[in-house]
Amino acid sequence: MPGSGRLEQIKPPGCPSHLAVETVSDNSVSLIWKAPEQVGSSGLDGYLVECCKDGTADWVAANQELFHSTRYTICNLTSGDRLQIRVKAVNAGGMSLPTVLEQPVVIREILEPPKIRVPRHLRQTYIRSVGETVNLLIPFQGKPRPQVSWSKEGQPLDPNRVTVRNGDKDTVFFIRTAERSDSGTYQLSIKIDRLEDKATIDIRVIEPPGPPENLRLIDVWGFNVALEWTPPKDNGNAALKGYAVQKSDRKSGQWFTVLEHCPRPSCTISDLIMGNSYSFRVFSENASGRSATAAVTTELAHIEKQEIVYKPEMYLGRDFSEPPKFTQPLADRTTTRGYNTQLFCCVRAFPKPKIIWMKNQMEIREDPKYIAVINEGVCSLEIRKPSPFDGGVYTCKAVNPLGEASVDCRLDVKVPQ
């Protein structure tokens, strides 16, 4: 009939896009997606979420009522199930084609990858001495709780030697009394399904080494002795740190250390005492200590006495002879009548000179008025209570086999007014 119209048919919306899992727990899964590009003229009525167990086609609606949010959490799921999940958009024209997750979802606790946290001191060889306790605590992480296993060089641990305790976040490796047979490389492995982390722990159990062998007295000369030996057969499961050398003289019988940490299997001992006889012994050393016994020389080292002849050196004597020479002359003086006065001068000569005093060129002989003294080259003449008659020129003359010398001065005696 002309002029009549027809109702426009509403088309179903486009399918949602970018469907992804946001979080997973042991009883739920959260989803997120984007709205379809085409929603139709009437708009969206909401979304329908469906799921089914992997390997079946029994799709079940997860929501009883439509909703408009682009997020949804499916709850009350069974842990361990593998589910296929899909989302449909709904409008007045019907349902869209479903958008399906690419991979099934395993309903389980959120997975934290296994990781071993090896302590710093275990990242290098862990060294203990025989008889000590080995107690290692090694933390790890992983969720759910990982499976922990230990092995030694690819073989299971000996339960008679090693005790292992595994917790949620660490494992304890325990040996009550360590033996050298406990040395080796231990492997620690933690697993969560197909995820695995491994660590290697190197343990070395050591003890003091055996004694050196073939200790020999190589040479004796002067005050010195040369020794030589070979390393011990048993190094105690550790590198040698050196050798300790001791000496003992036959008189005292006591041992004294003369060398410590000697790096080579030979040495020279010096500063031995002449006339003594010595024995020597050598200990081996490693990180655990010295060997329990020592290698001892089988023969004595005799330090012979040497005859010493004293030959005095010849020295040429120095000739100190010299003629007299005055180093300090006489000085003119003026004095007062009745007051004692002295005249001084200094002379140097060898042999010791003879000193002659003169007044006005006349030698002064034994006269109690004059006192002449010479001491260490200092010549003095004391004139007692002089009078004007004692004034004049005084001379001091020094004479020895090499020559003579003289000095003069004038003495004036004043009469007080």
Side-chain angles (χ1 to χ4, degrees), residues 157-185:
L157 300 183
D158 181 359
N160 296 324
R161 296 293 312 144
V162 183
T163 301
V164 173
R165 181 193 63 80
N166 298 323
D168 293 336
K169 295 184 179 180
D170 56 47
T171 178
V172 175
F173 179 98
F174 181 77
I175 300 176
R176 183 173 300 277
T177 305
E179 297 178 359
R180 284 179 62 172
S181 59
D182 296 320
S183 302
T185 301

Side-chain angles (χ1 to χ4, degrees), residues 306-381:
Q306 299 178 355
E307 293 186 3
I308 300 176
V309 179
Y310 176 68
K311 295 181 179 180
E313 296 187 19
M314 301 300 295
Y315 294 98
L316 296 176
R318 182 178 174 182
D319 187 5
F320 292 95
S321 300
E322 63 175 327
K325 179 181 179 181
F326 283 91
T327 58
Q328 179 67 39
L330 292 171
D332 292 342
R333 290 183 62 84
T334 299
T335 186
T336 304
R337 176 181 177 180
Y339 291 90
N340 293 355
T341 189
Q342 286 184 324
L343 304 178
F344 293 97
C345 62
C346 297
V347 65
R348 185 179 67 204
F350 189 83
K352 184 178 179 180
K354 178 182 178 181
I355 302 301
I356 301 173
W357 285 94
M358 294 182 293
K359 174 188 174 186
N360 297 327
Q361 300 301 317
M362 296 295 292
E363 181 177 351
I364 299 175
R365 296 187 179 272
E366 296 179 1
D367 188 336
K369 191 176 185 69
Y370 299 97
I371 299 175
V373 178
I374 180 170
N375 183 23
E376 299 295 336
V378 177
C379 305
S380 65
L381 178 67

Side-chain angles (χ1 to χ4, degrees), residues 11 15 28 67 98-99 135 148 157 171 186 201 221 242 281 304 307 310 319 323 325 378 380 390 393 416:
K11 295 181 180 180
C15 60
S28 65
F67 60 91
T99 298
N135 190 9
V148 181
L157 300 183
T171 178
Y186 292 81
I201 309 297
W221 75 100
R281 66 182 182 184
E304 300 292 343
E307 293 186 3
Y310 176 68
D319 187 5
K325 179 181 179 181
V378 177
S380 65
D390 294 318
V393 176

Side-chain angles (χ1 to χ4, degrees), residues 49-292:
V49 179
E50 296 177 328
C51 60
C52 74
K53 290 187 177 182
D54 189 33
T56 69
D58 300 329
W59 291 96
V60 178
N63 54 309
Q64 301 298 323
E65 297 180 358
L66 299 178
F67 60 91
H68 288 87
S69 174
T70 57
R71 278 186 170 86
Y72 188 74
T73 299
I74 306 174
C75 299
N76 301 321
L77 299 175
T78 302
S79 178
D81 283 351
R82 293 172 62 88
L83 299 180
Q84 295 278 1
I85 300 175
R86 68 186 184 184
V87 178
K88 298 177 181 179
V90 181
N91 69 1
M95 293 185 182
S96 68
L97 295 174
T99 298
V100 185
L101 280 176
E102 294 181 358
Q103 298 290 335
V105 178
V106 179
I107 305 305
R108 59 176 299 165
E109 193 174 4
I110 298 174
L111 180 66
E112 182 180 16
K115 180 67 176 178
I116 300 173
R117 303 293 184 185
V118 180
R120 186 182 299 274
H121 69 283
L122 296 179
R123 296 176 190 174
Q124 54 190 0
T125 301
Y126 182 71
I127 299 177
R128 304 296 287 174
S129 294
V130 169
E132 292 184 340
T133 298
V134 178
N135 190 9
L136 307 180
L137 174 66
I138 302 177
F140 57 78
Q141 64 186 36
K143 203 172 183 182
R145 178 176 173 173
Q147 294 179 347
V148 181
S149 63
W150 282 88
S151 62
K152 179 183 179 183
E153 297 171 356
Q155 300 298 320
L157 300 183
D158 181 359
N160 296 324
R161 296 293 312 144
V162 183
T163 301
V164 173
R165 181 193 63 80
N166 298 323
D168 293 336
K169 295 184 179 180
D170 56 47
T171 178
V172 175
F173 179 98
F174 181 77
I175 300 176
R176 183 173 300 277
T177 305
E179 297 178 359
R180 284 179 62 172
S181 59
D182 296 320
S183 302
T185 301
Y186 292 81
Q187 293 83 28
L188 170 62
S189 170
I190 64 172
K191 267 187 177 184
I192 302 177
D193 293 338
R194 297 182 180 179
L195 299 178
E196 182 180 14
D197 192 22
K198 294 182 178 181
T200 299
I201 309 297
D202 289 325
I203 297 177
R204 184 185 301 166
V205 181
I206 65 174
E207 62 182 344
E213 298 186 344
N214 305 318
L215 177 59
R216 294 182 300 155
L217 187 64
I218 299 299
D219 195 9
V220 180
W221 75 100
F223 305 102
N224 311 293
V225 168
L227 301 175
E228 189 176 75
W229 60 91
T230 57
K233 290 182 179 179
D234 181 12
N235 63 1
N237 203 28
L240 292 178
K241 296 176 64 176
Y243 302 91
V245 183
Q246 296 182 344
K247 70 177 180 180
S248 172
D249 65 87
R250 190 170 58 179
K251 294 180 181 178
S252 68
Q254 296 181 345
W255 290 98
F256 300 93
T257 299
V258 291
L259 280 178
E260 288 186 317
H261 312 303
C262 177
R264 297 179 301 276
S266 62
C267 69
T268 299
I269 309 300
S270 302
D271 299 328
L272 299 175
I273 298 175
M274 183 175 60
N276 280 3
S277 297
Y278 292 90
S279 294
F280 299 90
R281 66 182 182 184
V282 181
F283 293 87
S284 305
E285 292 181 304
N286 66 7
S288 183
R290 287 186 180 179
S291 57

Side-chain angles (χ1 to χ4, degrees), residues 402-415:
L402 299 179
E404 62 179 46
S406 62
V407 288
D408 301 325
C409 72
R410 183 170 188 82
L411 175 65
D412 292 325
V413 180
K414 295 184 176 181
V415 178

